[in-house]
Amino acid sequence: MRRQHGSVIVKNRRIRSTGYNGPPSGHPHCSDGGCPRAQSETPSGWAYDACVAIHAEANAILYSSPEEREGATIYITGVPCFGCAKLIANSGIEEVVAEGETYGDWDRVYNFLLNSQVRVRLL
């Protein structure tokens, strides 16, 4: 509802998986009233635990096999959150390429990825 992000996992110059922000399969989309957070009166940026959306990076990882991810690069239309950084670090992906503005916690996410042997490039 609030952000439209996408991600692509690429290995050996071939697309292995794609993902975008959205609710789980079969769940109503946020714009169709499926997200309690979107309907709440909480200020933007609050009540993340009420959000049903799955981030683009997580969806791309979910829809790829371990063999497709091993040594791959993930391209993201925004910098990853810490939760997605943990998934990336444990997935076999070796590089993150992201565009967009960083946020207050970005230094922690960036250092976590580097310490997990994941290269990071910001465009």
Side-chain angles (χ1 to χ4, degrees):
M1 193 88 195
R2 291 176 168 93
R3 295 186 182 203
Q4 297 177 349
H5 284 292
S7 66
V8 178
I9 295 175
V10 176
K11 182 176 177 181
N12 298 328
R13 301 180 68 189
R14 302 267 184 225
I15 294 174
R16 304 303 174 141
S17 182
T18 62
Y20 61 91
N21 285 6
S25 297
H27 195 279
H29 196 274
C30 299
S31 61
D32 297 327
C35 182
R37 180 177 177 227
Q39 294 183 358
S40 75
E41 293 185 22
T42 57
S44 179
W46 294 71
Y48 285 113
D49 56 337
C51 182
V52 298
I54 300 170
H55 288 183
E57 308 91 298
N59 272 321
I61 289 168
L62 284 168
Y63 287 104
S64 61
S65 70
E67 296 79 21
E68 291 172 312
R69 294 188 304 264
E70 194 64 40
T73 298
I74 187 166
Y75 296 88
I76 313 166
T77 60
V79 295
C81 68
F82 191 70
C84 288
K86 292 187 291 185
L87 294 174
I88 292 166
N90 203 45
S91 71
I93 291 171
E94 290 186 356
E95 183 178 31
V96 171
V97 178
E99 68 175 1
E101 295 294 319
T102 59
Y103 49 88
D105 204 27
W106 172 244
D107 287 339
R108 180 173 77 116
V109 173
Y110 178 77
N111 288 319
F112 173 80
L113 288 168
L114 291 181
N115 290 333
S116 299
Q117 306 305 310
V118 177
R119 290 184 311 274
V120 179
R121 287 192 290 150
L122 291 180
L123 305 178

